[in-house]
Amino acid sequence: MSVIRKLLSGIFTKRNIMSEKHLSAGSVEPPKVDGLLRVYSLIVCPFAKRVRLVLKAKNLPHDIVNINLQDKPEWYFKIHPKGQVPALFDNGKVIIESLDIADYLDEKYPTQSPLYPKDPAAKKRDQEVIKNLFPEPTSLLSKVQYSSETYSVDAALDLLLPAAQPLEDELAKRGTRFFGGEKPGMIDFMLWPWAERAQALPGLLAVDSLNLKDDQIPKLRKWARTMIEVPIIKELHIPVSITIKAIEDRKANRLDCDKLFE
C-alpha cells in the first residue's frame, strides 16, 4: 500500500469519500447521493479541515470530493463562484466559508455531539473568541510560513507569541483542558488546523526546535499536546513532513496534493 493510501485510509473511508485524488479541469463531478452531505475539500487546506473535523466530531454521514485548486474543475465554479474550498452541499443548498459551515452543521444537528455550550451567553462567548482572537495569530502564522522573506526564529516568535497570548489568557481563564471544557468544542476544532500547521515551523525555519521558554504560552502548548491524543485529531492528522512540503510547494506554485504522499 502506498504512503498516500495508508494516510487516506485513516482520513477517509469508502463510506465517506468519492475522490481520493483531487479533481482537476476536464473532470466530471462524482454523482451525488440523495440526502448525503457532501464537502468539497483539499486535504492540506486548514479551512477545509475545520469542516471535516466537525463532520467527524458530530458523526454525520458525508462524502468528500477533493478539488485541485491549481487546476480547478470547470463544474466546481457552479458550486463555489470563486472556486475555493471548503464548500458544503446539503440537499440542494450550498454553504461556503468554514466558520459558516461549522455553525450551520451544529445548528442543524443540535443533538448530535453539540460543539457549542447550551447556554446562549456561553455560546456567544465562544463565537466571539473565534471571531476576535483567531484572525491575528492565524494570519501571522501564514505570513511567516508563506513569506518570501527569511525569518529567524527570534523574529518569528516576536511576531507570533504576542498574537497567541490572548488565546493563552482565554484558556487560563477557563481553567479547563480544552476550550470546550473537558472535551473539545467548536473553538478547539476551529483552532486545531493552525496548531497542527505551527508544528511545521521548526522545519520551515531550518531549526530543530523553537526553544520556547517555560513561561511562553505554556497552556496552549499543553492544549496542543492533549489535542493530538484525541481520536478524531489522530485520525485526520497530517505528518509534519507533509505539511512542510505542501507549504514549500505552494510557495513555489507547484502544489500537487496527490504527489505529496507518494
Side-chain angles (χ1 to χ4, degrees), residues 143-215:
K143 178 180 179 179
V144 171
Q145 292 181 330
Y146 288 107
S147 175
S148 57
E149 301 175 32
T150 301
Y151 279 85
S152 67
V153 173
D154 288 343
L157 293 181
D158 285 346
L159 193 66
L160 296 172
L161 288 177
Q165 190 60 45
L167 285 167
E168 172 79 8
D169 296 341
E170 180 66 28
L171 190 55
K173 186 192 307 181
R174 294 182 180 223
T176 51
R177 296 172 67 214
F178 303 101
F179 287 94
E182 290 310 304
K183 64 179 183 178
M186 190 65 83
I187 294 177
D188 301 280
F189 289 125
M190 294 300 98
L191 182 60
W192 176 253
W194 279 268
E196 182 178 73
R197 283 203 158 204
Q199 297 170 3
L201 271 176
L204 291 168
L205 298 176
V207 295
D208 293 330
S209 171
L210 298 180
N211 291 321
L212 289 170
K213 298 176 182 177
D214 290 345
D215 62 349

Side-chain angles (χ1 to χ4, degrees), residues 105-125:
L105 291 171
D106 207 50
E107 290 170 8
K108 182 170 181 178
Y109 303 96
T111 61
Q112 294 178 240
S113 301
L115 299 179
Y116 280 118
K118 291 182 179 180
D119 177 65
K123 177 180 178 178
K124 183 178 179 181
R125 174 60 186 166

